[in-house]
Amino acid sequence: MFALVDCNNFYVSCERVFNPSLEEVPVAVLSNNDGCVIARSNELKSIGVPMGCAFFKIRPLIEKHNIKVLSSNYALYGDMSHRVMTVLHDFSPRIEIYSIDEAFLEFEFTSEHALYQLGEKIRKRVKQHTGIPVGVGFGTTKTLAKLANHLSKDANGVYFMPGSPEPILSKINLTDIWGVGRRLAARLYKLGIRNALELSQLDDQFISKNFGVVLLRTAYELRGKSCLSLEEIQDPKKNVCCSRTFGRPVESLEYLHEAVASYASNVAAKIRKDKLRTHIVTVFLKTNRFRNDLPQYSNLSTITLPEATNSSSKIIAAAVKALSNIFRPGIMYNNCGVLLQGIESAGVLQGDLFALAEPEENDKLDDAVDDINRRFGRNTVFRLSEGVEKPWQTARKWCSPHYTTDWNDLPCAK
DNA sequence: TCTGGGGTCCTAGGACCC
DNA sequence: TCTGGGGTCCTAGGACCC
C-alpha cells in the first residue's frame, strides 16, 4: 500500500509559518525574476489566478483583492522540505522523496480504518513539528495514491482509494492523472477517452502501439497493477543546470561573461557537493521570445573536456570559451545558462589517455571557497569574473528573510 | 514594461560493431 | 535474380513531472 504525502500550497505554507499576516488572505509566490505565479494560496486560487500566470497580468488585482506577493525563497523552502521529510521518515523507513513537497511512503495494508487513522496522525505530526499542512492519499499503486492525494483536498486531508475504484475513476479528468499531461489528454480526448476509467479500460495493444509503454504503465496502475516501485535510493543526477532570466536585457559580452562565470561557479559547487564530476559543459543564450519586435536569437555551444572535473576554474574556463563561440553583438539577450552533462561519480575517474600529468586532486581553492560559503553563507567569497555590481542579476523584489538558514535572519519572538 | 527553472524518460533514426 | 542477424551508442525531439 502506497501513501502519497503532499504539502498544501507548499511555498505559500512555508511563508505563512513565519509570517502569520499571510493567513487567510490571497498569497502569490513568484518564480525567479518575479515573472510568473508559481504558488498560490487557496484564496488566490478562488479569485481565479491560474498556475504559471504572468505576474504583470494580475497586477491590477493586487489592490482590489489585497493580494500579498512574495519572491521565491528557495533557501527557506529547501530547508522546510527537509524538516517535513524528516518527520515522514519516522512513519515508514520505506520512503521515496519525490519532489520538494511530496513523498511516497509504503505501508502494510491493515484496514481502511487504520489507514485513515494513520493519515490523520501524519497530518497532525507534520503540522505540529513544522507548521506545514499536508494531505495524505492511499492507493495500491503510486498512480492511485497520487489520485487519492488529489481527492484528499476535498476530504479533510486523508483519502483512501478503495479496491474497486471504478465509480471514482469515472469522475477523474485525464489531466489529473499522474503521467498524462496536456498533449496526451488532447490526443486521448479526440479518440473519445474522457476520464481515468475509460483510459484504464483501453486495449493494451492499442495503447502501446499508439502511445507507447509509458501510458500503458499508467493504464495498468489505474487498474491496480503496480508497475512503478518505490525508489528509495535516488540515482545520481545525469544533468546539472543553472540558468536565469536577467533582471533587465543584456547586450554586452562583459555582462554575459559575468553571468556565465557566475552560473558555472554555481553548478561546479553543486556537483562538488554531490561528489560528482562532469566532462561536458554547455552554454546557451536566448533573447526574449515574447518580444516579436526585437531580433530573435538563441544558440548553444558544447565543450567536451579531456578529463572529468569539478574544478570551478576549469568549468568556468570551458563555459566562457563556449560563450565566445555563440555570442553575437547587437542583440538583446534575456536569458542564459550553463548545463553540465556526462556526469560521473568523483570516485571513478576516467583518465585522459594522452595526458602526461596524474589525474587531478581536488582543487584546494575550491575546497576553501566551499568551506567559507558553507559557514558564512552563499557567495561570501566569489571570483571577480562573476561580477560585483551585477546589474543583470535576476529580480527578487519581495523575498522574505532566510528564517531558518541564516543566523542574521532568525525570527524574533516578542 | 513586465512572461521561471530544473529535471526525467522514451522513441526513432542513423551510425556503428561483430 | 539472389544480399543476415543481433546488437550498442548517440542524438534530437517530444512528452512528462514539480
Side-chain angles (χ1 to χ4, degrees):
Chain A
M1 178 63 55
F2 291 98
L4 179 70
V5 182
D6 178 299
C7 302
N8 301 342
N9 316 329
F10 182 55
Y11 296 172
V12 171
S13 298
C14 291
E15 299 286 354
R16 279 179 169 167
V17 169
F18 297 95
N19 184 353
S21 76
L22 301 174
E23 296 286 350
E24 289 167 20
V25 294
V27 182
V29 176
L30 305 180
S31 64
N32 269 329
N33 218 34
D34 297 334
C36 301
V37 177
I38 52 163
R40 303 161 297 156
S41 70
N42 290 341
E43 297 80 5
L44 190 69
K45 289 177 189 171
S46 62
I47 295 172
V49 174
M51 179 67 168
C53 176
F55 173 53
F56 72 87
K57 290 183 182 166
I58 65 159
R59 275 218 163 118
L61 303 177
I62 293 178
E63 233 174 84
K64 187 175 165 201
H65 296 281
N66 187 27
I67 299 174
K68 306 278 185 192
V69 176
L70 291 153
S71 305
S72 35
N73 181 347
Y74 291 105
L76 175 65
Y77 312 148
D79 183 66
M80 293 302 286
S81 169
H82 181 70
R83 289 162 194 255
V84 170
M85 300 308 168
T86 305
V87 176
L88 294 181
H89 226 110
D90 289 341
F91 284 95
S92 174
R94 305 211 55 201
I95 178 169
E96 172 187 342
I97 296 169
Y98 176 67
S99 74
I100 194 163
D101 71 333
E102 283 172 69
F104 286 103
L105 287 90
E106 216 173 337
F107 296 103
E108 291 298 318
F109 175 74
T110 41
S111 70
E112 187 177 333
H113 177 68
L115 288 176
Y116 268 104
Q117 284 188 323
L118 176 63
E120 269 311 317
K121 211 168 146 187
I122 292 174
R123 273 168 54 77
K124 203 175 150 198
R125 198 182 298 169
V126 174
K127 175 81 183 168
Q128 189 183 350
H129 288 205
T130 67
I132 302 289
V134 300
V136 185
F138 292 98
T140 49
T141 69
K142 282 174 141 184
T143 304
L144 290 173
K146 268 276 208 185
L147 284 180
N149 184 280
H150 182 72
L151 296 166
S152 76
K153 313 270 171 188
D154 297 321
N156 299 321
V158 184
Y159 192 90
F160 171 84
M161 188 63 80
S164 303
E166 289 77 10
I168 295 155
L169 294 185
S170 72
K171 289 187 195 125
I172 287 174
N173 291 329
L174 293 173
T175 45
D176 290 332
I177 303 166
W178 189 39
V180 180
R182 250 189 16 248
R183 313 237 171 196
L184 281 177
R187 279 178 63 200
L188 287 163
Y189 209 81
K190 270 192 191 155
L191 294 167
I193 313 303
R194 301 290 151 98
N195 57 54
L197 180 63
E198 290 176 4
L199 171 59
S200 75
Q201 290 170 337
L202 273 180
D203 175 66
D204 287 1
Q205 290 216 317
F206 177 82
I207 301 179
S208 130
K209 200 173 144 218
N210 293 283
F211 295 93
V213 67
V214 182
L215 193 68
L216 184 59
R217 277 202 284 256
T218 300
Y220 275 155
E221 288 244 320
L222 288 172
R223 296 172 201 160
K225 185 173 189 311
S226 181
C227 301
L228 305 168
S229 57
L230 199 72
E231 288 172 36
E232 292 164 84
I233 297 157
Q234 279 205 314
D235 289 342
K237 288 217 176 78
K238 292 168 182 160
N239 305 300
V240 174
C241 178
C242 175
S243 75
R244 295 280 180 278
T245 298
F246 301 130
R248 64 184 204 214
V250 167
E251 199 180 354
S252 81
L253 179 58
E254 186 195 339
Y255 286 152
L256 285 174
H257 192 296
E258 288 182 5
V260 164
S262 169
Y263 304 162
S265 163
N266 181 336
V267 283
K270 272 196 211 175
I271 60 170
R272 284 198 297 273
K273 194 173 162 215
D274 290 349
K275 298 197 167 38
L276 301 169
R277 293 180 206 256
T278 180
H279 70 269
I280 301 173
V281 181
T282 297
V283 169
F284 52 86
L285 284 175
K286 292 175 200 169
T287 47
N288 185 341
R289 65 197 161 101
F290 295 100
R291 291 292 299 268
N292 305 323
D293 54 324
L294 292 178
Q296 294 288 313
Y297 174 67
S298 80
N299 206 348
L300 57 82
S301 170
T302 298
I303 291 193
T304 304
L305 301 169
E307 194 174 281
T309 184
N310 56 26
S311 137
S312 282
S313 323
K314 289 184 182 170
I315 293 173
I316 292 172
V320 165
K321 189 170 165 223
L323 170 66
S324 68
N325 291 339
I326 50 175
F327 173 77
R328 303 273 179 282
I331 288 173
M332 290 303 221
Y333 298 96
N334 127 106
N335 178 296
C336 81
V338 178
L339 169 67
L340 305 182
Q341 293 166 286
I343 289 187
E344 56 196 52
S345 159
V348 234
L349 182 60
Q350 173 68 56
D352 178 356
L353 179 61
F354 302 105
L356 298 171
E358 289 291 303
E360 65 171 17
E361 292 288 311
N362 246 14
D363 188 320
K364 291 208 167 59
L365 176 60
D366 286 336
D367 287 347
V369 168
D370 290 344
D371 276 347
I372 292 170
N373 286 338
R374 194 163 31 235
R375 190 159 156 203
F376 297 101
R378 204 165 156 188
N379 286 330
T380 304
V381 283
F382 57 90
R383 283 173 166 73
L384 283 176
S385 61
E386 298 174 34
V388 180
E389 289 180 6
K390 307 189 184 186
W392 42 270
Q393 210 164 31
T394 295
R396 293 164 95 201
K397 252 196 264 177
W398 302 284
C399 194
S400 53
H402 296 153
Y403 298 110
T404 60
T405 56
D406 187 333
W407 290 112
N408 298 317
D409 286 353
L410 214 57
C412 292
K414 290 178 191 160

Short mmCIF file of all heavy atoms in Angstrom, two decimals, chain A residues 31-32 217 238-239 241 243-245 290 335, chain B residues 1-11:
data_model
loop_
_atom_site.label_atom_id
_atom_site.label_comp_id
_atom_site.label_asym_id
_atom_site.label_seq_id
_atom_site.Cartn_x
_atom_site.Cartn_y
_atom_site.Cartn_z
N SER A 31 7.95 33.20 -9.44
CA SER A 31 9.13 32.49 -9.95
C SER A 31 10.34 33.42 -9.88
O SER A 31 10.22 34.59 -9.56
CB SER A 31 8.88 32.10 -11.39
OG SER A 31 8.76 33.28 -12.17
N ASN A 32 11.50 32.89 -10.24
CA ASN A 32 12.67 33.73 -10.37
C ASN A 32 12.36 34.92 -11.27
O ASN A 32 11.55 34.80 -12.18
CB ASN A 32 13.82 32.93 -10.99
CG ASN A 32 14.66 32.27 -9.93
OD1 ASN A 32 14.80 32.79 -8.82
ND2 ASN A 32 15.20 31.12 -10.24
N ARG A 217 1.81 1.73 -18.88
CA ARG A 217 2.08 1.56 -17.44
C ARG A 217 1.05 2.32 -16.61
O ARG A 217 0.55 1.81 -15.61
CB ARG A 217 3.49 2.08 -17.11
CG ARG A 217 4.58 1.06 -17.39
CD ARG A 217 5.82 1.38 -16.57
NE ARG A 217 6.56 2.50 -17.13
CZ ARG A 217 7.69 2.38 -17.84
NH1 ARG A 217 8.22 1.19 -18.05
NH2 ARG A 217 8.30 3.44 -18.31
N LYS A 238 22.03 13.18 -13.70
CA LYS A 238 22.68 12.99 -15.00
C LYS A 238 23.00 14.34 -15.65
O LYS A 238 23.86 14.43 -16.50
CB LYS A 238 21.76 12.18 -15.92
CG LYS A 238 21.63 10.76 -15.42
CD LYS A 238 20.55 10.00 -16.10
CE LYS A 238 20.45 8.61 -15.50
NZ LYS A 238 19.18 7.97 -15.75
N ASN A 239 22.25 15.34 -15.26
CA ASN A 239 22.48 16.71 -15.76
C ASN A 239 22.38 17.65 -14.58
O ASN A 239 21.58 17.44 -13.69
CB ASN A 239 21.39 17.13 -16.75
CG ASN A 239 21.24 16.17 -17.88
OD1 ASN A 239 22.18 15.94 -18.62
ND2 ASN A 239 20.07 15.59 -17.99
N CYS A 241 22.07 21.92 -14.10
CA CYS A 241 21.92 23.13 -14.90
C CYS A 241 21.69 24.34 -13.99
O CYS A 241 21.10 24.21 -12.93
CB CYS A 241 20.71 22.94 -15.82
SG CYS A 241 20.35 24.36 -16.82
N SER A 243 20.35 28.23 -14.90
CA SER A 243 20.03 29.25 -15.89
C SER A 243 19.10 30.27 -15.26
O SER A 243 18.34 29.94 -14.36
CB SER A 243 19.38 28.62 -17.11
OG SER A 243 18.05 28.26 -16.84
N ARG A 244 19.19 31.49 -15.73
CA ARG A 244 18.37 32.57 -15.15
C ARG A 244 17.96 33.55 -16.24
O ARG A 244 18.71 33.77 -17.20
CB ARG A 244 19.18 33.37 -14.12
CG ARG A 244 19.60 32.63 -12.89
CD ARG A 244 18.48 32.52 -11.87
NE ARG A 244 18.93 31.80 -10.69
CZ ARG A 244 18.97 30.47 -10.59
NH1 ARG A 244 18.56 29.74 -11.60
NH2 ARG A 244 19.40 29.89 -9.50
N THR A 245 16.81 34.13 -16.02
CA THR A 245 16.40 35.26 -16.83
C THR A 245 17.03 36.50 -16.19
O THR A 245 17.03 36.63 -14.97
CB THR A 245 14.88 35.37 -16.82
OG1 THR A 245 14.36 34.19 -17.41
CG2 THR A 245 14.39 36.57 -17.61
N PHE A 290 9.03 36.68 -26.17
CA PHE A 290 7.76 37.41 -26.24
C PHE A 290 7.89 38.74 -26.96
O PHE A 290 6.91 39.39 -27.27
CB PHE A 290 7.21 37.67 -24.82
CG PHE A 290 6.84 36.40 -24.11
CD1 PHE A 290 7.70 35.84 -23.17
CD2 PHE A 290 5.64 35.77 -24.38
CE1 PHE A 290 7.36 34.67 -22.52
CE2 PHE A 290 5.29 34.59 -23.73
CZ PHE A 290 6.16 34.04 -22.80
N ASN A 335 18.27 35.75 -21.35
CA ASN A 335 18.44 34.55 -20.52
C ASN A 335 19.69 33.82 -20.97
O ASN A 335 20.00 33.77 -22.15
CB ASN A 335 17.19 33.67 -20.73
CG ASN A 335 17.22 32.36 -19.97
OD1 ASN A 335 18.07 31.52 -20.23
ND2 ASN A 335 16.31 32.18 -19.05
P DT B 1 5.23 48.49 -23.87
OP1 DT B 1 4.47 47.26 -23.87
OP2 DT B 1 4.56 49.77 -23.51
"O5'" DT B 1 6.33 48.34 -22.76
"C5'" DT B 1 7.69 48.46 -22.89
"C4'" DT B 1 8.30 47.93 -21.62
"O4'" DT B 1 7.62 48.49 -20.46
"C3'" DT B 1 8.15 46.41 -21.48
"O3'" DT B 1 9.43 45.88 -21.23
"C2'" DT B 1 7.23 46.20 -20.31
"C1'" DT B 1 7.43 47.45 -19.49
N1 DT B 1 6.24 47.83 -18.67
C2 DT B 1 6.39 47.83 -17.31
O2 DT B 1 7.42 47.53 -16.74
N3 DT B 1 5.25 48.20 -16.61
C4 DT B 1 4.04 48.56 -17.15
O4 DT B 1 3.11 48.86 -16.42
C5 DT B 1 3.95 48.55 -18.59
C7 DT B 1 2.69 48.92 -19.27
C6 DT B 1 5.05 48.18 -19.28
P DC B 2 9.65 44.31 -21.38
OP1 DC B 2 11.10 44.10 -21.39
OP2 DC B 2 8.82 43.85 -22.51
"O5'" DC B 2 9.05 43.69 -20.05
"C5'" DC B 2 9.77 43.78 -18.84
"C4'" DC B 2 8.99 43.09 -17.75
"O4'" DC B 2 7.82 43.85 -17.46
"C3'" DC B 2 8.48 41.71 -18.16
"O3'" DC B 2 9.38 40.73 -17.69
"C2'" DC B 2 7.14 41.58 -17.47
"C1'" DC B 2 6.71 43.02 -17.19
N1 DC B 2 5.59 43.49 -18.06
C2 DC B 2 4.68 44.38 -17.50
O2 DC B 2 4.83 44.71 -16.32
N3 DC B 2 3.67 44.83 -18.26
C4 DC B 2 3.55 44.44 -19.53
N4 DC B 2 2.53 44.94 -20.22
C5 DC B 2 4.47 43.55 -20.11
C6 DC B 2 5.47 43.10 -19.35
P DT B 3 9.72 39.50 -18.66
OP1 DT B 3 10.86 38.80 -18.07
OP2 DT B 3 9.75 39.95 -20.07
"O5'" DT B 3 8.44 38.60 -18.47
"C5'" DT B 3 8.11 38.04 -17.20
"C4'" DT B 3 7.41 36.71 -17.41
"O4'" DT B 3 6.17 36.95 -18.12
"C3'" DT B 3 8.21 35.73 -18.27
"O3'" DT B 3 8.07 34.44 -17.71
"C2'" DT B 3 7.55 35.80 -19.63
"C1'" DT B 3 6.11 36.10 -19.25
N1 DT B 3 5.36 36.82 -20.29
C2 DT B 3 4.24 36.23 -20.80
O2 DT B 3 3.85 35.14 -20.43
N3 DT B 3 3.60 36.96 -21.76
C4 DT B 3 3.96 38.20 -22.24
O4 DT B 3 3.29 38.74 -23.10
C5 DT B 3 5.15 38.77 -21.67
C7 DT B 3 5.63 40.11 -22.11
C6 DT B 3 5.78 38.06 -20.74
P DG B 4 9.14 33.35 -17.99
OP1 DG B 4 10.28 34.04 -18.61
OP2 DG B 4 8.48 32.24 -18.68
"O5'" DG B 4 9.52 32.83 -16.55
"C5'" DG B 4 10.02 33.71 -15.54
"C4'" DG B 4 10.92 32.89 -14.66
"O4'" DG B 4 10.14 31.84 -14.06
"C3'" DG B 4 12.04 32.20 -15.43
"O3'" DG B 4 13.21 32.27 -14.66
"C2'" DG B 4 11.56 30.78 -15.62
"C1'" DG B 4 10.67 30.57 -14.40
N9 DG B 4 9.54 29.69 -14.64
C8 DG B 4 8.62 29.77 -15.66
N7 DG B 4 7.73 28.82 -15.60
C5 DG B 4 8.07 28.09 -14.48
C6 DG B 4 7.46 26.94 -13.91
O6 DG B 4 6.46 26.33 -14.31
N1 DG B 4 8.14 26.51 -12.77
C2 DG B 4 9.24 27.10 -12.25
N2 DG B 4 9.76 26.55 -11.17
N3 DG B 4 9.83 28.18 -12.77
C4 DG B 4 9.18 28.61 -13.88
P DG B 5 14.58 31.66 -15.23
OP1 DG B 5 15.66 32.45 -14.66
OP2 DG B 5 14.49 31.43 -16.69
"O5'" DG B 5 14.58 30.24 -14.53
"C5'" DG B 5 14.62 30.21 -13.11
"C4'" DG B 5 14.81 28.79 -12.69
"O4'" DG B 5 13.59 28.07 -12.89
"C3'" DG B 5 15.89 28.07 -13.51
"O3'" DG B 5 16.70 27.40 -12.57
"C2'" DG B 5 15.09 27.11 -14.39
"C1'" DG B 5 13.89 26.84 -13.51
N9 DG B 5 12.69 26.40 -14.19
C8 DG B 5 12.16 26.89 -15.37
N7 DG B 5 11.06 26.27 -15.72
C5 DG B 5 10.86 25.32 -14.72
C6 DG B 5 9.84 24.35 -14.56
O6 DG B 5 8.88 24.13 -15.29
N1 DG B 5 10.03 23.59 -13.41
C2 DG B 5 11.06 23.75 -12.52
N2 DG B 5 11.10 22.93 -11.47
N3 DG B 5 12.03 24.65 -12.66
C4 DG B 5 11.86 25.39 -13.79
P DG B 6 18.01 26.67 -13.02
OP1 DG B 6 19.02 27.00 -12.01
OP2 DG B 6 18.26 26.88 -14.46
"O5'" DG B 6 17.60 25.15 -12.82
"C5'" DG B 6 17.24 24.70 -11.52
"C4'" DG B 6 16.75 23.29 -11.66
"O4'" DG B 6 15.46 23.31 -12.30
"C3'" DG B 6 17.66 22.44 -12.56
"O3'" DG B 6 18.09 21.30 -11.84
"C2'" DG B 6 16.77 22.06 -13.73
"C1'" DG B 6 15.39 22.18 -13.11
N9 DG B 6 14.35 22.32 -14.12
C8 DG B 6 14.31 23.17 -15.20
N7 DG B 6 13.26 23.00 -15.95
C5 DG B 6 12.56 21.99 -15.32
C6 DG B 6 11.34 21.36 -15.66
O6 DG B 6 10.61 21.59 -16.62
N1 DG B 6 10.99 20.38 -14.75
C2 DG B 6 11.72 20.03 -13.65
N2 DG B 6 11.23 19.05 -12.89
N3 DG B 6 12.87 20.60 -13.31
C4 DG B 6 13.22 21.56 -14.19
P DG B 7 19.33 20.44 -12.31
OP1 DG B 7 20.28 20.45 -11.23
OP2 DG B 7 19.71 20.84 -13.67
"O5'" DG B 7 18.70 19.00 -12.37
"C5'" DG B 7 18.32 18.45 -13.60
"C4'" DG B 7 17.04 17.71 -13.37
"O4'" DG B 7 15.95 18.55 -13.74
"C3'" DG B 7 16.90 16.50 -14.27
"O3'" DG B 7 17.56 15.41 -13.63
"C2'" DG B 7 15.40 16.30 -14.27
"C1'" DG B 7 14.87 17.74 -14.14
N9 DG B 7 14.34 18.27 -15.39
C8 DG B 7 14.85 19.29 -16.17
N7 DG B 7 14.13 19.53 -17.22
C5 DG B 7 13.09 18.62 -17.15
C6 DG B 7 11.98 18.40 -18.00
O6 DG B 7 11.71 19.00 -19.05
N1 DG B 7 11.17 17.38 -17.55
C2 DG B 7 11.39 16.65 -16.40
N2 DG B 7 10.52 15.69 -16.12
N3 DG B 7 12.41 16.85 -15.59
C4 DG B 7 13.21 17.84 -16.02
P DT B 8 18.08 14.18 -14.49
OP1 DT B 8 18.92 13.35 -13.61
OP2 DT B 8 18.59 14.69 -15.77
"O5'" DT B 8 16.73 13.39 -14.78
"C5'" DT B 8 15.95 12.87 -13.70
"C4'" DT B 8 14.75 12.19 -14.31
"O4'" DT B 8 14.00 13.20 -15.03
"C3'" DT B 8 15.16 11.16 -15.34
"O3'" DT B 8 14.92 9.86 -14.87
"C2'" DT B 8 14.31 11.44 -16.56
"C1'" DT B 8 13.48 12.63 -16.21
N1 DT B 8 13.55 13.64 -17.28
C2 DT B 8 12.51 13.68 -18.16
O2 DT B 8 11.57 12.92 -18.10
N3 DT B 8 12.62 14.63 -19.13
C4 DT B 8 13.66 15.53 -19.31
O4 DT B 8 13.63 16.34 -20.22
C5 DT B 8 14.73 15.41 -18.35
C7 DT B 8 15.90 16.33 -18.46
C6 DT B 8 14.64 14.49 -17.39
P DC B 9 15.53 8.64 -15.74
OP1 DC B 9 15.69 7.55 -14.76
OP2 DC B 9 16.65 9.08 -16.59
"O5'" DC B 9 14.34 8.28 -16.75
"C5'" DC B 9 13.01 8.08 -16.29
"C4'" DC B 9 12.14 7.99 -17.52
"O4'" DC B 9 12.15 9.27 -18.19
"C3'" DC B 9 12.66 6.97 -18.52
"O3'" DC B 9 11.62 6.06 -18.80
"C2'" DC B 9 13.05 7.78 -19.74
"C1'" DC B 9 12.24 9.06 -19.59
N1 DC B 9 12.90 10.26 -20.18
C2 DC B 9 12.23 10.98 -21.17
O2 DC B 9 11.10 10.61 -21.52
N3 DC B 9 12.84 12.06 -21.72
C4 DC B 9 14.05 12.42 -21.31
N4 DC B 9 14.59 13.50 -21.89
C5 DC B 9 14.74 11.70 -20.31
C6 DC B 9 14.15 10.63 -19.77
P DC B 10 11.88 4.78 -19.72
OP1 DC B 10 11.00 3.73 -19.21
OP2 DC B 10 13.33 4.56 -19.87
"O5'" DC B 10 11.32 5.26 -21.13
"C5'" DC B 10 9.95 5.61 -21.25
"C4'" DC B 10 9.70 6.02 -22.68
"O4'" DC B 10 10.41 7.25 -22.95
"C3'" DC B 10 10.19 4.99 -23.69
"O3'" DC B 10 9.10 4.69 -24.54
"C2'" DC B 10 11.35 5.69 -24.42
"C1'" DC B 10 11.04 7.17 -24.21
N1 DC B 10 12.21 8.08 -24.16
C2 DC B 10 12.25 9.16 -25.03
O2 DC B 10 11.34 9.33 -25.84
N3 DC B 10 13.32 10.01 -24.97
C4 DC B 10 14.29 9.81 -24.08
N4 DC B 10 15.31 10.67 -24.05
C5 DC B 10 14.25 8.72 -23.18
C6 DC B 10 13.21 7.88 -23.25
P DT B 11 9.22 3.58 -25.68
OP1 DT B 11 7.88 3.01 -25.85
OP2 DT B 11 10.40 2.73 -25.41
"O5'" DT B 11 9.55 4.48 -26.95
"C5'" DT B 11 8.70 5.57 -27.25
"C4'" DT B 11 9.15 6.16 -28.56
"O4'" DT B 11 10.26 7.06 -28.32
"C3'" DT B 11 9.64 5.12 -29.56
"O3'" DT B 11 9.01 5.36 -30.80
"C2'" DT B 11 11.15 5.32 -29.63
"C1'" DT B 11 11.30 6.78 -29.24
N1 DT B 11 12.56 7.15 -28.54
C2 DT B 11 13.18 8.32 -28.88
O2 DT B 11 12.74 9.06 -29.73
N3 DT B 11 14.31 8.62 -28.18
C4 DT B 11 14.90 7.86 -27.20
O4 DT B 11 15.92 8.23 -26.64
C5 DT B 11 14.21 6.62 -26.88
C7 DT B 11 14.77 5.73 -25.83
C6 DT B 11 13.09 6.33 -27.55
#
